[in-house]
Amino acid sequence: MAAPSTPTTALLSNVSGYTATLVASTYEGAPNVIKSGDPPSEFPQNTSVDTFGSVMYAIENTAMWIVVWTANNQVATKILRAGTPAIWKDIWDTIQRDHTEDSNSTASGWVYNSVVDISSNGDAQILRATLSSAPIPTTIKLENVCGDTLMLVSSTYEGAPGVIKSDAPPVVFEQDTSINAYGSVVYAIGKIATWVVVWTANNQVTTSILPSGTTVIWEEIWQNIQPDHADDSYITSYSWGYNSEVDIKSSGDAQSLNATISSFPLPN
């Protein structure tokens, strides 16, 4: 006698802004392409063939979306950065009843969210999985304790203050990295030097202090990009130097950057 069937109707919704392309599925029936904003893709899965189901979709070249469910009302989901292998044991360790969700930030300046619900009426199940995205906000804090007033030369976005006086409270502003996958500010330190800070949406940073009048060569600055922390110093001909310290950290769906410009006397 054949095993009793517990059919599962899977509804996959994509509102991420990116196209999802099928990589693998436990059964036939999963759509090959789910475009963002299209109506939910509905297909039946006969879990009498297997006691679980799964789909894996590539979100263009940025991430992987995985949804797993069982015949007894349990579900798991995972979003992996592009190039990260799917370790199925780890995914199965997160299986739980009724509801699950996951999120992950990417180098493109976005965070993807997966929300999955599964319910049963006793002899059938319905699974609803939604892929969405949101920009990763970055909170910027700039502190000037160098003894000179800073004047804004350029910024990737609006929001950076035009003037930062020395020893004033740190200035704080938000940068929406959905507009660009990086941010930057350039400040003139009087007529002596130029302070440059650059950061990315995936927790990397670099900084440079250049002599006043020196052209900012962005290719050279980007060569020094690194995760978490960066610093640079510049020795002037006026018996003191400048130092830049920058730290960046991420909570997964938001970043904070702290940058400080200071000065120090040179030994006699």
Side-chain angles (χ1 to χ4, degrees), residues 65-67 77 79 100-103 112-116 130-131:
W65 181 36
I66 299 172
V67 180
T77 189
I79 296 178
T100 190
E101 55 189 75
D102 189 41
S103 63
Y112 291 110
N113 299 297
S114 175
V115 177
V116 185
T130 301
L131 174 70

Side-chain angles (χ1 to χ4, degrees), residues 81-232:
R81 285 194 174 191
T84 303
I87 302 175
W88 290 101
K89 180 182 181 302
D90 291 347
I91 295 171
W92 276 101
D93 285 345
T94 66
I95 202 104
Q96 52 193 349
R97 296 188 64 82
D98 302 331
H99 173 86
T100 190
E101 55 189 75
D102 189 41
S103 63
N104 202 347
S105 59
T106 73
S108 61
W110 291 77
V111 58
Y112 291 110
N113 299 297
S114 175
V115 177
V116 185
D117 293 280
I118 192 168
S119 59
S120 173
N121 63 7
D123 57 3
Q125 294 186 133
I126 186 165
L127 177 138
R128 292 179 172 87
T130 301
L131 174 70
S132 62
S133 64
I136 301 172
T138 303
T139 300
I140 310 300
K141 183 169 78 172
L142 304 178
E143 185 173 12
N144 175 14
V145 290
C146 75
D148 295 294
T149 297
L150 305 181
M151 302 295 293
L152 183 66
V153 176
S154 65
S155 175
T156 310
Y157 317 97
E158 295 180 3
V163 177
I164 308 177
K165 293 183 178 181
S166 182
D167 297 316
V171 296
V172 179
F173 58 99
E174 295 287 330
Q175 297 282 22
D176 181 355
T177 43
S178 69
I179 301 171
N180 240 328
Y182 69 93
S184 67
V185 290
V186 179
Y187 281 92
I189 310 171
K191 296 182 179 181
I192 303 172
T194 301
W195 183 36
V196 181
V197 180
V198 177
W199 63 95
T200 71
N202 64 334
N203 208 53
Q204 296 188 88
V205 71
T206 187
T207 187
S208 186
I209 302 176
L210 305 171
S212 181
T214 302
T215 302
V216 178
I217 302 175
W218 291 103
E219 182 182 358
E220 294 181 0
I221 290 174
W222 275 100
Q223 288 176 354
N224 296 319
I225 201 89
Q226 57 192 19
D228 303 330
H229 175 84
D231 57 73
D232 191 39

